[in-house]
Structure formats: structure tokens, C-alpha cells
Amino acid sequence: MIGASLPLEGVRRTIDAVWKMESAKIVAGLTRMVRDVGLAEELAQDALVAALEQWPESGVPDNPGAWLTAIAKRRAVDHIRRSARLERKHEQIAYELEQRQPDGEPDDVLRLMFLSCHPVLPTEERVALTLRLLGGLTAAEIARAFLAGEPVIVQRIASAKRTLADEGVPFELPDGGELAERLSSVLDVIYLIFNEGYSATSGDDLMRPELCLEALRLGRLLAELAPHEAEVHGLVALMELQASRSAARTGPSGEPVQLHEQNRGRWDRLLIRRGFTAMLRAREVGGPPGPYMLQAAIAVCHAQAATAADTDWRRIASLYEVLARLLPTPVVRLNHAVALGMAYGPEAGLAVADLLTDDPTLRDYHLLPSVRGDLLLRLGRREEARREFLRAASLTGNDAERAFLHRRADEIPAPEAPTLTLGRAARDFLARDDLDGGTVRSYGQTLRRLRLSLGEELPLDSLTAGQVARVFRTAWGEAAAATWNRHRSAVRSFCAWASLEDLAAGLDRRAATPNRTETIDAARLDALWNLPGVPLRELTLWRLLHESTAGVTTVLSLNVEDLDLDDRRARAGGGWVSWRSGTARLLPRLLAGRTRGPLFLADRRPGPARAPTPADLCPETGRGRLSYERAEYLFKRATKPLDPAGHGYTLRQLKPRG
């Protein structure tokens, strides 16, 4: 025994370290035994509790991992003996345990990875469960890493376990036909964890190193378990090389430092060598390069350049061109624009970036205006660049990045002669005394979208019909006729008030199509409830709309304090909204301990430029109320595969027939 003389705090630190290293193997081995990942984790936790109780007195064992494994397996055998359903399997399992090597099957951890990253789970649940089961992190640690409430993380983990059990997901490795898709899901989860640590989407700091380290550990572990998968080594190489730049990515005050300005002497040479080694392994496996190998090849180009000026941007641009053919996402195309701008001049990059302004998926992506700002500044179009940096700052949820973008904008002098801006005009328009509250909210949605898409500082006299049309295409191109017409009327009212020409004149009023207002039939509704990967918020909203027959606006206006879960109803204005068992099962999970604020919350906290009214802000999470516009967009996107016309359904079509 090596720990008898350690102080209590030292023993606890040792237990914590051992648990993080061994928990994945223990849980994986138990899952193979009991075929239930939730039960397996409970049994593993029992072993951890035993260690916390015994090791401070007896000392840390020579092989702590084996000690924990033995205790956990004993608890598993005891459970099997007590279970009448599994009584007949007891002798077989006990015999297998006696014959098996102490460390169990090496593929168990790989099976656990495929299980926790199963496509049947929503992305946020895959991430939470993976960090819990394979990272050994507590719910509190995961919540701190993602700046979320601990009850939210607990709910996600519990929901994931329940879904895996309800769906009967087997604890086995996928076969050849399914392997590529399932492996891609595992890689995506690991890289998502890494990216959230490398470029935090919210909070005060640019990075969360603990998430980067955990993703690297999981990637290295996966590479050991699946050594013949080139994309696994490609992902590891990509993360090693990106992580090597971590120390140089921030300045003394935590501010971001752009890649071409980084002190390359601070790059971690050990991580670079590890990245190169992983890349060599990926190439040795052979086969056509996948997305992660191509991204790793781009990272290799950066790591090989002694100075920023030595970077082979033409090769990087060509690699992005290949990547864009293989993975034609808007973000890849935006990175291609950056590379083109560096390789062939800012005009080439701006030409590609400008094409992306019509892509609905990038309309609130802060890096698009940030990239455009860089390119415009290099072209000498300084005032346009300043407005783009300010627009990017209004879109990001990260405080350090927002401050950095504001500094970039401040470095460009504002026009000497102040002009009336779109933001100021919109605020003055909405402050009128002759508008009631409902009209202000309706007009405010339209003008907020214009301001987000075009920038607060856009001179009002430079606003064009073409710009307005582009916003309409990206924001409401697939919206219902009533939604399109409502926003069109708001723009016309704003133009009349501001003495502008009618900038919506070229946008035809849409006629409602009767066939689009028909309700969704039972077969497609059943398919809707069983769509994989639907977030809990959306599923609850859809169920509530269907079961209550209430209007979309009414349901979205509900607050947590209005709910009566026992009676399955909520006060709404002067009446009640009621629901049935489907909604009743989902609502407690959605609330996750919340007692006040909007029932349905937006995806993230609002930026300073779009602060909601106090009634539309959750005091517990800081997030605003989910907007009709966003809810409609998400529903249309999710139901496109179910709609024979391929357009997707509207939320109003959730009302039951008859």
C-alpha cells in the first residue's frame, strides 16, 4: 500500500486522478456485463464511494484501477444475482468473469465511445454523456466548462441514458456498413468538445483549456483503440497542432491575438511533433483523405512556417478547395475565402465572402462580418470595415472576442460628420408614443433583424432595396406568407416614417396558399415525434402546440410561473392552455429546476445590441424568450424530410385535425 501516510486531502486528489484515468474502462466493462449504461455508471460510482470511504484509512492500493474494477464487478455480480430476470445468465457471466483478464476486453471502451456518441442522441446530450462516462467528469465540472447550470447537465445526462435504454441501443461495435457514419459521430463530438475549449462561444475568456485537454485525451485514446482508421489520426493531428498555438493565442489581458501576429516562439514544439507523428500515422493507414486529414494538412502548413510571411497560403487555399468539395459547409467556404485573400489578395477573398452573405446559416455567425472587415480594411474601405467589426461584435457571445472586435473598430476613425444610422433611426421609430406594445414587438423583430444583418452603424441614407431584399431572402425566404407580409409591412412603415423611398416595393406580397395551412397527418406526426436528434426544447414546443391547440404566439409567451404541472395547464392571458401526457412527460425535463422566466428560452444569452424586455428575459439563465421567427425556422428545417413538397411545415400545422 502506497498511500497510508498521505494526508486526507492527498488521498482524495489521488482518487480523483485515478477515477478520471480509469472510469471509462470500468464503466465500459460493466456495461458489457449488465447491458445498461445507466446502471453501469451507478455501479462504478458505488466503487468510487467505497474508495472514498476506505482509502483514507487503508491507504491507496498499489494498483488502484484494478481495485476499483474488482469492487465494481463484485457489485455487478451482486446485482445480477438479485435480478430474477437475469438469474439464468448468472453462472455464464460469473464463469466469463473468472476466465477474462483483469483489464477486461480492450474494445469495451471503444464500444462505450460509440454508445455515448450514438446518433439517436441530440448533440448536447452526446457531449455531456461522453464527458461523464469517458472523461470521468462530474456534472458540476461539465457545467462549469460549458457555463451551464448543473441541473441542465444532470438533465441531459439522464435524458441520454433514458433514450439509449428506450431505444435499445446495443453495446457493440457497428459493423462495416454502419462504421463510417458512427465513427464520424464520435469524431464530431470529440472535435466539438475541443472547439468549445479552443474558441469558447460564450463567457469571459477566449479559451477553456480543460475542454481542450479532455478532447485531446479522448482523441489519443480513440487512436489507440482504432489504430487503422486514418480519420482518427487526422483528428488527433489537427487537435495537437491547434493546441500547440494555445499559449500564443491570447495577450497579457486575455485578448485574442490573430494567427499572423502570434509569437511562434511560444508555440508548443512537443505538441507540434505529436501532431506531425499523428499525421504520418494517418498517411500510413492510406486511403483518400477525409475532412479531418485535410484540416490537419492545413494545420501542418501553419506549423511548418517559421514566420507568418513563410506560410504557404497557396497550398492552404488549394487544400480548402478540396475540403470544400468534400465538406461543402458555409464555414469551410468562409475559411477558403480567408485563404484566398491571403494567397491571391483581398479582392479574391472578398468575392467569395460576399457570396456567403446570402447563406441563411451564416446570418448570425460573427466570423463572417469579422472576415469581411479584415478584407475590406486591406482594400482601404475603412468605414465599411469599421461597420463590419461592430456588427461582428454584436453577434458574438464571447466577451473577450467582443472587446477585441470593438477595439478593431475603434482603431478606425468614425466619420467626422455624424449621420443618422440604421440603429438610431430604428430606436427612434420604436419609441413613438402612437405604437402599442404588440406593434412595437412586431416591428422590433423586423428592425432587429435588419440591424443584425446590416449593422447598427449603417448610414440610413445608404440603405438600399437590394440590402433589404437580401435580408428578406436569408431570414424569411422560406417563411409562411403571413410572416413574410408582416415583415414587409413593417419595413414599409419604417420607410414612410423615415421619409425613405419604399425599400420593400420590390418584395411582392405573398398570397397564402390554402394547402399549406392543412394540418399534418397522423403518419407524419408519428414520424415527427420519432425524429432522431431533436432537442428537448423543440420537441416540447411541438408537443404542446399539438396537444393544446393554442396559437403559437400564446404558447411562446408562457412563463414557468404560469404552469400548473399537476393539472396539466397554464394560465395564458385571461384563459388557460392545457396539454396531455406527451407534453406532461417532457415539461419537467425542460424546466430543469427553473422556477421563473420564459418557458421556451433562446439558444444563447442576448448581446448588448439586442437586449430583450425584462418580461422576456430569464432571471436564472440570462437567456431571452424563444422568438416566433426562430421557432418557425427550426420547425421548417426539421420537417423538410417529412414534407412531400420539400419545403417543411409551419408550426400552425401542428393543430390536430377536426
Side-chain angles (χ1 to χ4, degrees), residues 299-323:
V300 167
C301 290
H302 289 298
Q304 288 176 330
T307 67
D310 296 330
T311 305
D312 188 350
W313 280 107
R314 295 201 171 198
R315 173 163 172 73
I316 291 174
S318 66
L319 287 168
Y320 269 120
E321 187 174 352
V322 176
L323 180 61

Side-chain angles (χ1 to χ4, degrees), residues 536-537 540-541 544 554-563 565 569-570 577 579 583 586-592 594-602 615-618 621 623-626:
L536 176 63
R537 180 190 64 184
T540 308
L541 172 62
L544 181 51
T554 299
V555 169
L556 288 174
S557 68
L558 292 177
N559 294 315
V560 177
E561 54 266 35
D562 298 328
L563 304 182
L565 296 180
R569 65 177 187 169
V577 171
W579 54 84
T583 305
L586 297 171
L587 274 175
R589 294 164 54 194
L590 178 70
L591 296 179
R594 289 191 294 123
T595 59
R596 298 178 296 159
L599 174 58
F600 296 103
L601 297 176
D616 291 328
L617 189 68
C618 176
T621 66
R623 289 154 60 191
R625 188 183 302 276
L626 177 65

Side-chain angles (χ1 to χ4, degrees), residues 78 84 110 117 122 142 160 173 199 201 211 239 264 268-269 338 344 377 396 400 415 510 512 530 568 585:
D78 290 342
L110 187 58
C117 298
I142 300 170
L173 295 176
S199 298
T201 55
L211 285 180
M239 293 192 298
R264 300 190 175 214
D268 190 318
R269 308 313 299 180
V338 173
Y344 302 104
L377 188 60
T396 183
R510 290 183 175 176
N530 292 287
R568 296 184 180 179
R585 287 194 299 270

Side-chain angles (χ1 to χ4, degrees), residues 427-491:
R427 288 189 291 272
D428 291 347
F429 173 71
L430 296 173
R432 293 158 51 197
D433 295 332
D434 59 332
L435 299 180
D436 59 42
T439 304
V440 168
R441 284 193 295 273
S442 178
Y443 284 176
Q445 289 180 354
T446 307
L447 294 175
R448 181 171 66 248
R449 172 49 52 197
L450 287 174
R451 291 153 65 185
L452 284 172
S453 298
L454 302 176
E456 293 273 336
E457 298 298 310
L458 179 73
L460 188 63
D461 57 11
S462 70
L463 183 62
T464 67
Q467 290 172 316
V468 172
R470 175 168 60 80
V471 174
F472 267 68
R473 285 195 304 271
T474 57
W476 306 301
E478 297 183 0
T483 301
W484 173 278
N485 294 335
R486 174 170 62 86
H487 291 300
R488 178 177 177 273
S489 296
V491 170

Side-chain angles (χ1 to χ4, degrees), residues 78-141:
D78 290 342
H79 171 81
I80 293 170
R81 283 175 176 152
R82 291 193 301 268
S83 175
R85 292 184 297 107
L86 298 177
E87 187 67 32
R88 288 176 298 175
K89 296 184 179 181
H90 165 61
E91 292 185 5
Q92 175 187 352
I93 292 175
Y95 175 77
E96 289 177 356
L97 289 176
E98 291 175 2
Q99 300 301 316
R100 192 170 288 133
Q101 294 298 318
D103 289 339
E105 296 184 9
D107 284 344
D108 281 349
V109 177
L110 187 58
R111 290 188 180 97
L112 189 62
M113 278 192 175
F114 279 105
L115 186 69
S116 66
C117 298
H118 198 283
V120 74
L121 301 176
T123 300
E124 64 271 15
E125 292 184 8
R126 295 183 214 176
V127 170
L129 189 64
T130 299
L131 288 173
R132 175 68 169 163
L133 298 183
L134 290 141
L137 274 64
T138 65
E141 289 172 327

Side-chain angles (χ1 to χ4, degrees), residues 282-463:
R283 288 170 177 162
E284 288 170 358
V285 171
Y292 289 111
M293 276 191 68
L294 288 169
Q295 292 176 81
I298 292 167
V300 167
C301 290
H302 289 298
Q304 288 176 330
T307 67
D310 296 330
T311 305
D312 188 350
W313 280 107
R314 295 201 171 198
R315 173 163 172 73
I316 291 174
S318 66
L319 287 168
Y320 269 120
E321 187 174 352
V322 176
L323 180 61
R325 289 197 294 268
L326 188 64
L327 193 69
T329 66
V331 173
V332 170
R333 291 163 60 201
L334 181 60
N335 286 328
H336 187 205
V338 173
L340 288 172
M342 298 300 292
Y344 302 104
E347 298 94 339
L350 189 62
V352 174
D354 283 348
L355 294 175
L356 297 173
T357 57
D358 284 336
D359 194 310
T361 59
L362 293 182
R363 68 182 186 185
D364 290 334
Y365 187 53
H366 73 283
L367 289 181
L368 175 56
S370 177
V371 167
R372 292 191 75 250
D374 273 320
L375 296 167
L376 289 166
L377 188 60
R378 290 170 57 197
L379 286 169
R381 296 160 61 177
R382 297 170 62 79
E383 175 54 23
E384 292 176 81
R386 188 180 74 88
R387 293 201 300 265
E388 286 293 85
F389 289 139
L390 289 173
R391 191 164 77 88
S394 73
L395 293 173
T396 183
N398 184 276
D399 294 339
E401 200 158 15
R402 184 183 302 113
F404 169 72
L405 289 163
H406 275 299
R407 282 196 298 273
R408 296 208 67 187
D410 292 342
E411 291 170 357
I412 303 172
E416 292 184 6
T419 59
L420 181 61
T421 64
L422 174 60
R424 174 61 186 273
R427 288 189 291 272
D428 291 347
F429 173 71
L430 296 173
R432 293 158 51 197
D433 295 332
D434 59 332
L435 299 180
D436 59 42
T439 304
V440 168
R441 284 193 295 273
S442 178
Y443 284 176
Q445 289 180 354
T446 307
L447 294 175
R448 181 171 66 248
R449 172 49 52 197
L450 287 174
R451 291 153 65 185
L452 284 172
S453 298
L454 302 176
E456 293 273 336
E457 298 298 310
L458 179 73
L460 188 63
D461 57 11
S462 70
L463 183 62

